[in-house]
Amino acid sequence: MKVNGVLLDTSFFIKFLNDADPLFKNALEYYKYFLSNDIKMYISTISIAEYCVGGSISELPLRNLAILPFNLNHATKTGEIAKIVFTKKGKLKLLERNVIPNDSKLFSQADV
């Protein structure tokens, strides 16, 4: 299966841009793999906003990323995904954390 691209989320960039993070090396290797295999890397405007809470847009490697704006078709799909998440609240077993509204938006962008 050919991969059209990857949507990298905020947690990826937090790890990738902090060489003291335990997962920095993993993130760096993924980044190199995507570059060397011509896999297009996307960053959502949502992830940019989240990253800028604690960091600066100038830290992001935007020259190697396609910026994906959150559009009407993403909003429509988010409604479908969020409805499932919210109706299953407390029933979905996630290992590390709860799904937050921005996650639903990113899932929608990746799906669309």
Side-chain angles (χ1 to χ4, degrees):
M1 179 176 148
K2 172 107 171 82
V3 175
N4 294 328
V6 293
L7 179 61
L8 303 172
D9 69 355
T10 311
S11 64
F12 176 86
F13 290 104
I14 290 170
K15 291 163 182 45
F16 176 70
L17 297 170
N18 177 5
D19 59 7
D21 190 290
L23 294 175
F24 165 76
K25 186 175 179 186
N26 290 16
L28 178 62
E29 291 304 316
Y30 273 113
Y31 188 80
K32 288 179 183 179
Y33 176 82
F34 298 145
L35 280 176
S36 66
N37 288 282
D38 294 320
I39 296 173
K40 192 166 187 174
M41 292 180 282
Y42 294 88
I43 185 171
S44 172
T45 52
I46 294 162
S47 292
I48 293 171
E50 287 181 334
Y51 186 82
C52 288
V53 170
S56 169
I57 193 169
S58 64
E59 297 166 348
L60 295 168
L62 295 179
R63 71 185 184 302
N64 292 321
L65 304 171
I67 297 173
L68 183 60
F70 188 77
N71 292 319
L72 185 60
N73 56 341
H74 304 135
T76 304
K77 188 60 145 178
T78 297
E80 296 170 20
I81 291 174
K83 182 176 183 178
I84 294 167
V85 171
F86 295 130
T87 58
K88 303 290 184 186
K89 189 174 182 171
K91 297 175 187 168
L92 296 174
K93 301 294 181 196
L94 303 172
L95 297 177
E96 300 206 12
R97 65 179 181 81
N98 292 327
V99 173
I100 60 171
N102 281 347
D103 293 327
S104 297
K105 294 173 188 170
L106 294 174
F107 296 149
S108 298
Q109 285 186 297
D111 183 62
V112 171

